[in-house]
Amino acid sequence: MAPLSPARARLAGFPHAYACAIQRRTATGRNQFVIRTRNPIQPFRVTETLPATDEDLVLRVA
């Protein structure tokens, strides 16, 4: 696999996922979860559902 660009690393990192979770919580009024996926393309994601068994909960924005 080719190395990822610095822009992708920045945008897919935890600080961006945290900011996204805050924005989504404000917009929807629902709890948001930042999940570590163990996928180098998308190491973190934001969701309204609890993590699957192969994912780790990093943060809950309530």
Side-chain angles (χ1 to χ4, degrees), residues 25-44:
R25 170 69 171 125
T26 301
T28 66
R30 296 182 180 164
N31 290 342
Q32 301 295 319
F33 301 95
V34 177
I35 308 297
R36 178 172 296 144
T37 65
R38 298 186 187 129
N39 179 343
I41 300 296
Q42 183 185 15
F44 297 96

Side-chain angles (χ1 to χ4, degrees), residues 16-27 32 34 46 59 61:
H16 190 263
Y18 176 65
C20 182
I22 295 291
Q23 290 173 357
R24 287 180 59 174
R25 170 69 171 125
T26 301
Q32 301 295 319
V34 177
V46 178
L59 177 76
V61 178

Side-chain angles (χ1 to χ4, degrees), residues 4-16 40-41 43-44:
L4 301 177
S5 73
R8 176 177 284 282
R10 187 181 81 254
L11 293 173
F14 175 78
H16 190 263
I41 300 296
F44 297 96

